[in-house]
């Protein structure tokens, strides 16, 4: 396993990063934009190169065992969270990659604060953790469906920022919002209804959430505006085209790992002292 | 994602399965055997096909959410447990595959029975769990290094069989012993000493374990003889050649999943009743 060069790859992240304390208007982001990656063939080639680089960097991270990487994926139903895990990390060795999908909290989860189940699932040093949904659900569905009083929701943004600052001591954090258009969601929901092999992915409740589209977009704008920090930035990824989404996310994950620059550890023993007999 | 055929693949497992209650002599197993897979090119082609089939079957298992698959990997140092995870499951979507590496038990682990930490890590319905080392360490290193009294060790074989019977209610279990020769281990340990990028994989304690080679082989013979059951069979995989090992294990995992035959669930709603607006 050799690392392709020590130089840094192209910095696609700067196109998509949400600058700390900026006010986000999602209407200004085109979910169908592909200009950053070129055409489909070029994007697939980029994804392949990035995936190989991520796999090599992940081995170093695992050997080093000093820091973790946490990748948070958020997006409205059908935005492609599962597909991103498959597309971007499908060829990374599963030894050091752990995916956690956060669904409705269990009775045990609910008997603690809202970050308890999140903290438990945070990646250990040396590993990559991928959150398919995350703590942000508590200020997304939590807010839109009024699952907690407004003052409680309001307090959560600061609690999340403080929590992310805490885990930053051992963990690098990147957060992706998979941004699709309302028309694209319609097509994808319809595909799940039309294809029997996709029925299991369809949840009748998704249609109720679709009716709350505008409220969800507002809730996303709030988390992007309030919770993109230097140490745990949000990226808004145009996701109508799956290939453009995968190319962009893989590029940012790769670049983040390059920036962390994990190294094989020096042994605390002298190789010349040992002989295998 | 289409499943390549509904027919069953070649049954390589019958070459390697340990029949329940048979008395195993590892001297009769050639770790360099490759006759079951043909040459290296053919084996790589088989691995590729098997990996794709495993990925497709895994999605069905995940959609079905009725049963889990537990893959146990055991073998002496350098036998290729990590390499098997990477080689066989490297292209399976990480959404439903969870690897647990069992190292020395923690203080919390030790404050419970020896199967407590194992049970906690068992895969949930719909997922594939891979154990890199397992409960069998407690009758391998535990026995060879006399970490518990002989009567306690002796009791553990039955405890393990009873435990595996318990989890079988939701989980299919396959257990692989990666069988390498003493000469092959010498080469692999030497490579870890010679290559700075592999130093992190070398543990000076491995040489002490190598001196206990014969005792370890005897301990393996005991678990193979006593713990290969109908519901949780052991397979002894010739592993001097990594490509032959990966082809064989991927074939058996694929065949096991085909035999489980997971199906996309029928929805409890009527697709025609829904319209996406």
């Amino acid at each position: 396993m050799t690392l392709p060069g020590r130089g840094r790859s192209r910095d696609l992240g700067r196109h998509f990063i949400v600058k700390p304390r900026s006010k986000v208007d999602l209407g200004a982001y085109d979910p169908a934009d592909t200009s950053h990656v070129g055409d489909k063939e070029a994007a697939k080639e980029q994804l392949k190169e990035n995936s190989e680089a991520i796999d090599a960097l992940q081995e170093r991270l695992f050997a080093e065992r000093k820091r973790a990487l946490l990748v948070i994926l958020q997006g409205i139903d059908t935005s492609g969270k599962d597909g991103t895990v498959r597309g971007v990390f499908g060829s990374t060795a599963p030894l050091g990659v752990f995916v956690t999908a956060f669904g409705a909290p269990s009775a045990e989860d609910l008997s603690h604060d809202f970050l308890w189940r999140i903290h438990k699932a945070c990646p250990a040093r040396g590993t990559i953790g991928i959150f398919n949904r995350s703590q942000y659900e508590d200020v997304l569905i939590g807010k839109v469906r009024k699952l907690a009083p407004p003052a409680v929701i309001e307090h959560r943004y600061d609690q999340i920022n403080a929590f992310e600052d805490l885990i930053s001591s051992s963990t690098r954090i990147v957060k992706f919002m998979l941004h699709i258009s309302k028309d694209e969601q319609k097509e994808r929901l319809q595909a799940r209804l039309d294809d029997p092999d996709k029925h299991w992915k369809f949840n009748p409740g998704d249609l109720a959430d679709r009716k709350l589209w505008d409220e969800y977009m507002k809730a996303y704008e709030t988390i992007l505006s309030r919770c993109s920090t230097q140490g745990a930035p949000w990226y808004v990824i145009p996701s109508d085209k799956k290939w453009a989404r995968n190319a962009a996310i893989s590029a940012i994950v790769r670049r983040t790992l390059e920036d962390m620059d994990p190294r094989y550890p020096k042994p605390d023993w002298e190789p010349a002292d040992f002989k295998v007999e």
Side-chain angles (χ1 to χ4, degrees), chain A residues 73-88 132-133 176-180 184-185 188 192 201 239-242 245-246 249:
Chain A
L73 301 176
Q74 282 287 162
I76 203 138
D77 293 323
T78 77
S79 62
K81 300 179 289 295
D82 284 357
T84 299
V85 176
R86 179 179 282 275
V88 175
N132 184 340
R133 304 184 187 269
F176 297 104
M177 182 211 171
L178 312 187
H179 185 37
I180 59 170
E184 179 67 21
Q185 189 194 45
R188 294 186 186 182
R192 290 182 180 184
K201 293 185 182 179
S239 298
D240 273 5
K241 298 291 179 206
K242 294 169 184 174
R245 174 199 75 203
N246 286 349
I249 293 180

Side-chain angles (χ1 to χ4, degrees), chain A residues 65-242:
Chain A
R65 276 180 202 274
K66 282 194 185 159
R67 292 162 294 169
L69 173 64
L70 173 59
V71 177
I72 289 180
L73 301 176
Q74 282 287 162
I76 203 138
D77 293 323
T78 77
S79 62
K81 300 179 289 295
D82 284 357
T84 299
V85 176
R86 179 179 282 275
V88 175
F89 296 97
S91 56
T92 309
L95 285 165
V97 178
F98 299 89
V99 184
T100 308
F102 290 98
S106 70
E108 192 188 14
D109 294 337
L110 289 170
S111 72
H112 297 82
D113 66 83
F114 80 103
L115 294 172
W116 180 81
R117 65 172 183 158
I118 307 293
H119 210 166
K120 264 207 314 183
C122 283
R125 294 176 208 267
T127 68
I128 299 177
I130 303 168
F131 284 179
N132 184 340
R133 304 184 187 269
S134 68
Q135 59 268 29
Y136 288 96
E137 288 298 315
D138 291 278
V139 284
L140 288 165
I141 188 172
K143 185 181 194 183
V144 172
R145 291 195 172 268
K146 301 183 172 53
L147 304 179
V152 170
I153 299 280
E154 174 61 27
H155 191 191
R156 285 182 182 162
Y157 302 100
D158 292 338
Q159 290 174 318
I160 288 173
N161 286 339
F163 172 74
E164 292 179 358
D165 173 65
L166 169 70
I167 63 175
S168 292
S169 64
S170 63
T171 304
R172 182 80 171 248
I173 306 168
V174 284
K175 302 180 293 201
F176 297 104
M177 182 211 171
L178 312 187
H179 185 37
I180 59 170
S181 66
K182 201 171 174 185
D183 284 347
E184 179 67 21
Q185 189 194 45
K186 184 177 181 180
E187 279 188 30
R188 294 186 186 182
L189 284 172
Q190 195 60 54
R192 290 182 180 184
L193 281 170
D194 295 344
D195 178 354
D197 281 3
K198 290 185 176 172
H199 283 167
W200 66 283
K201 293 185 182 179
F202 182 81
N203 178 347
D206 295 351
L207 294 183
D209 270 340
R210 178 168 166 80
K211 294 208 173 97
L212 297 165
W213 180 275
D214 292 344
E215 285 84 343
Y216 272 107
M217 290 305 118
K218 279 201 194 96
Y220 269 104
E221 287 174 344
T222 306
I223 64 173
L224 296 168
S225 302
R226 294 188 57 176
C227 300
S228 192
T229 59
Q230 183 84 25
W234 270 108
Y235 297 89
V236 178
I237 306 295
S239 298
D240 273 5
K241 298 291 179 206
K242 294 169 184 174

